[in-house]
Amino acid sequence: MTVATAQTAVRSLLAHPTGSVLGAEPGGTENAETYIRSGGYGEAVSPDRLLEAIDRAGLRGRGGAGFPAAVKLRSVRDGGGVPVVVANGEEGEPGSVKDRWLLRARPHLVLDGISRAAEITGAAQGYVYLSDPYAATRIRRALGEHPPRIPVEVVETAHTYVAGEETSVVRRINGGPALPAAKPPRPHERGVAGQPTLVANVETLARLALIAAHPDLGDTIATSTLLTLSSWRDAPLLVEAPYGVPLHDLAGAQGSADAYGALMGGLFGGLVGRDALALRLEPGALAGAGTSLGCGAIRFLAPGGCPVAVAHDAVDHLAAESARQCGVCVSGTAAINETLRRLATGTAGPDATGRLERWAGTLPGRGACGLLDAAAGTAGSLLRAFPEAVRDHLSAACAVCAGCPTTGGHRLVVPVPDVADLRPDPVP
């Protein structure tokens, strides 16, 4: 099985460009002047009215959990102390590129979002948290072009799957390791420097800034989302799409109109079969079907590939990225990964499906973060969505799987779209 290595394209499926997070020139980094001309950094409504507009529009977080943004903002505002706002741009999912693209291409939109969130919560300090050096350069330059209303510091971390988990973010900013911490307390209760902290995905903050600039378009802004679409065969695509688009239409936009399923939500939404591609892109509809939008990364299963190989790739990556703080996570992800490896190579015993089914039911919720849940959920979804493929692997080796190297997490990685530096001083 070969791997698509073509550059990621950028495309909008929105009917009207106003209120789009892609902006007018998604192929280049906007400067402060360009952003201000588009309506950014303008005088917005009062913080209370902006919060009402966010609530009314139904904006949800874009980091994975989809939590209502207005509820999170109120929790931090009402938590006492002096709040802190963190733009979380540490994109741990290998199949997602939207956050790094936003930080590289639209740094002022993200910084404007930090300022608006600070006005709502009363925060006196902001942070941009990331691991991408290109994005860090562009954010620092944007801070120099248009200093925000509160001090904003860039905090860099090593790129890992768990580094973007909200308690990992807080620990790293507080000077510790970027590893998940026990909960409670959650960051909105006690976070950076012990203060109530809003840890918000950068796309969430970008949409908050757009609602501030275009309150009349709040519903449209809140119900559009960035998606990273990929497959093993066709070039990946970063797309902005409205809720309600059928998944098979998204597959067609990416070049995989003949897809027979998908790996949803990065590594968290599990595998779904062909019938699920008739579902519409809407968090409630996806949840009702037992899957999720997660971080907005969807990997379509194109003919010529194998769902068992995809499941093994996903769990192989998760096992390698375990923080190794929880014994159940270390042993659980390793056991699932080894069983899927044996299944992929045609060497699994007859009890393999029973063990995978048992782990899928008993391991979720037992780790400090969602990594173990993702591994167990991937195994369970493979059994549900592709039982025939699993049975076939029990009786014979698979030619597709045999052509894959032993470790395959790298096959899920999608390159960040090209973002030209429009300044004379290029990013190193």
Side-chain angles (χ1 to χ4, degrees), residues 312-313 316-317 320 337 341 404-411:
H312 178 230
D313 284 353
D316 185 63
H317 181 80
N337 188 40
R341 185 192 69 79
C404 299
T406 304
T407 56
H410 67 279
R411 286 193 292 271

Side-chain angles (χ1 to χ4, degrees), residues 151-165:
V152 173
E153 181 180 341
V154 178
V155 175
E156 297 186 63
T157 189
H159 176 68
T160 67
Y161 186 81
V162 300
E165 196 271 342

Side-chain angles (χ1 to χ4, degrees), residues 133-224:
Y134 290 89
T137 298
R138 285 166 166 84
I139 287 289
R140 289 191 173 100
R141 189 168 64 201
L143 287 169
E145 289 177 344
H146 192 281
R149 301 171 192 183
I150 61 169
V152 173
E153 181 180 341
V154 178
V155 175
E156 297 186 63
T157 189
H159 176 68
T160 67
Y161 186 81
V162 300
E165 196 271 342
E166 63 174 4
T167 61
S168 298
V169 174
V170 169
R171 287 183 75 180
R172 174 68 184 88
I173 294 174
N174 280 338
L179 296 173
K183 300 176 279 290
R186 292 189 174 276
H188 76 267
E189 299 167 314
R190 188 165 70 248
V192 175
Q195 299 299 326
T197 301
L198 177 75
V199 180
N201 174 261
V202 293
E203 185 188 350
T204 310
L205 292 171
R207 293 194 179 278
L208 192 157
L210 285 174
I211 291 174
H214 307 284
D216 54 320
L217 297 176
D219 290 349
T220 299
I221 295 166
T223 57
S224 303

Side-chain angles (χ1 to χ4, degrees), residues 42-377:
E43 292 298 323
V45 297
S46 70
D48 286 343
R49 289 185 63 188
L50 177 56
L51 182 57
E52 290 173 5
I54 294 166
D55 198 359
R56 186 168 55 251
L59 179 65
R60 290 181 173 270
R62 295 300 197 272
F67 195 75
V71 174
K72 202 169 184 179
L73 287 161
R74 287 193 182 97
S75 297
V76 173
R77 181 195 64 184
D78 300 338
V82 183
V84 174
V85 172
V86 180
N88 185 4
E90 173 41 29
E91 198 165 31
E93 293 279 6
S96 181
V97 298
K98 69 182 182 68
D99 296 335
R100 283 166 291 169
W101 178 87
L102 270 171
L103 291 167
R104 294 181 185 191
R106 304 215 63 190
H108 288 285
L109 181 63
V110 175
L111 293 174
D112 198 1
I114 292 176
S115 295
R116 304 304 181 185
E119 291 172 357
I120 291 172
T121 61
Q125 176 68 48
Y127 294 90
V128 180
Y129 176 83
L130 44 70
S131 65
D132 178 17
Y134 290 89
T137 298
R138 285 166 166 84
I139 287 289
R140 289 191 173 100
R141 189 168 64 201
L143 287 169
E145 289 177 344
H146 192 281
R149 301 171 192 183
I150 61 169
V152 173
E153 181 180 341
V154 178
V155 175
E156 297 186 63
T157 189
H159 176 68
T160 67
Y161 186 81
V162 300
E165 196 271 342
E166 63 174 4
T167 61
S168 298
V169 174
V170 169
R171 287 183 75 180
R172 174 68 184 88
I173 294 174
N174 280 338
L179 296 173
K183 300 176 279 290
R186 292 189 174 276
H188 76 267
E189 299 167 314
R190 188 165 70 248
V192 175
Q195 299 299 326
T197 301
L198 177 75
V199 180
N201 174 261
V202 293
E203 185 188 350
T204 310
L205 292 171
R207 293 194 179 278
L208 192 157
L210 285 174
I211 291 174
H214 307 284
D216 54 320
L217 297 176
D219 290 349
T220 299
I221 295 166
T223 57
S224 303
T225 196
L226 288 176
L227 304 167
T228 309
L229 309 178
S230 63
S231 73
W232 73 268
R233 187 192 62 194
D234 304 290
L237 176 68
L238 174 64
V239 65
E240 187 171 16
Y243 286 170
V245 174
L247 295 184
H248 55 64
D249 286 8
L250 295 174
Q254 188 265 327
S256 299
D258 54 353
Y260 61 87
L263 177 65
M264 296 291 297
L267 304 183
F268 210 83
L271 289 158
V272 298
R274 190 186 306 274
D275 290 348
L277 298 183
L279 290 170
R280 294 187 177 275
L281 184 75
E282 197 281 316
L286 296 175
T291 185
S292 70
L293 183 58
C295 65
I298 303 175
R299 187 169 187 81
F300 292 108
L301 307 182
C306 175
V308 174
V310 172
H312 178 230
D313 284 353
V315 177
D316 185 63
H317 181 80
L318 291 166
E321 290 289 309
S322 171
R324 308 201 178 280
Q325 294 187 133
C326 307
V328 68
C329 179
V330 175
S331 61
T333 55
I336 296 170
N337 188 40
E338 176 61 14
T339 302
L340 288 175
R341 185 192 69 79
R342 289 182 176 275
L343 194 64
T345 56
T347 59
D351 61 341
T353 55
R355 284 185 282 121
L356 290 173
E357 187 171 6
R358 183 174 69 254
W359 291 328
T362 59
L363 291 180
R366 296 180 61 186
C369 67
L371 187 146
L372 179 59
D373 295 26

